[in-house]
Amino acid sequence: MSRFKNESAIPLSLETLWFTHSPPTFPYPALRQLGTILNANYAWESTPSLTPGIGTEHIFIGAVAWAEDSASPTHPPGPSGIITKIRVRWFSTSPSSATAEVKNIFPTTTTTHSARQEVTDTDLQLASDWYAPNILAYVKSHVGLTIGDGECWTLAYKALQHAGQKALREGREPPMLSTGRVHGCLIFEWTACAEYPITYSSGILGHVPTGIRAGDILELNDGRFRTRYTALAGLGLVGTQHEENVRFSAHTAVIVAVKMEDSTLGVVEQNGRARCVVAENEYNLSNMVSGVVRIYRPIGVSLVMGSNLHDVSLVGVCDEW
């Protein structure tokens, strides 16, 4: 995590005016690219200026909790204990003249994390009950719109962020945010091939004790889908075989319906068939002939590998500089 020691190296992207959006685009893309963010929070205040003609003074304070470096697609990384705070000041009449400062908060003592906590079936079922309704409400309410930068990952991230805000209001811990291509606890993983299609009858989809549920998050890596269908040509109604190929290098979608009998997952996705727009779609896993499919169950931050809730909580951090 040495790249965070130099506060002046953290990009602020003030020229994009991310802090003026409603809600603010935080964490903004350049900040997300620095590393894996386990949690984020922000607060702001607005004060009418006593000086005529310069409008209202706004102050934004945001904070992110960084994860340890990890390339594992299976388990979410543990917390680093490092928090970066960003404060932006601007006047409503001249947001392009905004100023900002950065402050890193490092752990005061060396913390030894325990081994990865085992996530039980009960934990997974409870997590689904807690977070899925708000995740689903968010993605369904944004169909036809563009969220953030229009990327597929952003929709899942924002849905988890929304579910976290709802959870805190209800007195529960929030779910971990998407960290890279990990969106919680991995409950299903399979490398597809044409010889062994992913079907329920084959038993492949039967290895998920808690079942795949609406509100889980689908991640496709180098996924290729091949669909064969018969088209009628000409007045003679002669059937001809056609093949449709769809390939994703990396794609994220939120599962909204599960049709286990025909291996089909209904999803809401962004930047899928509709470029940079949130839309409904479905994927028949039995038509997946190559690539890796992973399904994640959003889980509470206390179940993140080797962490406790206080390690990634940002409650009160943005209340003052």
Side-chain angles (χ1 to χ4, degrees), residues 126-149:
L126 185 60
S128 179
D129 293 340
W130 279 2
Y131 306 128
N134 290 319
I135 291 172
L136 294 170
Y138 181 87
V139 298
K140 290 179 179 179
S141 67
H142 287 81
V143 170
L145 305 176
T146 297
I147 303 301
D149 56 10

Side-chain angles (χ1 to χ4, degrees), residues 257-278:
V258 180
K259 304 173 186 177
M260 197 66 75
E261 64 281 358
D262 62 358
S263 309
T264 298
L265 300 177
V267 303
V268 171
E269 62 185 2
Q270 182 166 248
N271 203 26
R273 291 184 181 272
R275 182 173 175 79
C276 296
V277 173
V278 179

Side-chain angles (χ1 to χ4, degrees), residues 229-240:
Y229 59 95
T230 300
L232 299 179
L235 296 177
L237 300 180
V238 178
T240 58

Side-chain angles (χ1 to χ4, degrees), residues 7-21 24-34 60 66 84 86-90 95-102 149:
E7 295 167 345
S8 63
I10 295 178
L12 295 170
S13 298
L14 297 181
E15 70 282 358
T16 67
L17 301 181
W18 56 264
F19 47 89
T20 64
H21 300 167
T25 306
F26 188 81
Y28 46 91
L31 189 63
R32 293 206 309 250
Q33 291 173 5
L34 285 181
F60 169 94
W66 299 103
T84 294
I86 296 173
R87 179 166 63 178
V88 183
R89 296 173 180 265
W90 76 99
S96 59
S97 300
T99 59
E101 51 192 322
V102 179
D149 56 10

Side-chain angles (χ1 to χ4, degrees), residues 73 152-153 156 178-183 186 188-190 216-223 225 248-255 265 267 283 285 288 291-296:
C152 59
W153 181 92
S178 298
T179 58
R181 292 287 174 177
V182 177
H183 311 280
L186 184 70
F188 178 79
E189 180 178 33
W190 193 263
D216 292 341
I217 297 177
L218 173 70
E219 188 69 37
L220 300 172
N221 184 257
D222 290 328
F225 290 79
F248 293 102
S249 58
H251 188 60
T252 306
V254 176
I255 297 171
L265 300 177
V267 303
Y283 293 98
L285 297 183
M288 188 172 177
V292 180
V293 55
R294 297 184 178 98
I295 297 175
Y296 293 91

Side-chain angles (χ1 to χ4, degrees), residues 162-182:
H162 171 78
Q165 293 168 351
K166 290 285 189 179
L168 288 172
R169 293 193 193 105
E170 295 167 359
R172 300 191 181 110
E173 65 172 338
M176 63 162 279
L177 299 178
S178 298
T179 58
R181 292 287 174 177
V182 177

Side-chain angles (χ1 to χ4, degrees), residues 190-205:
W190 193 263
T191 300
C193 64
E195 293 76 16
Y196 298 100
I198 302 174
T199 64
Y200 187 77
S201 59
S202 68
I204 295 174
L205 287 174

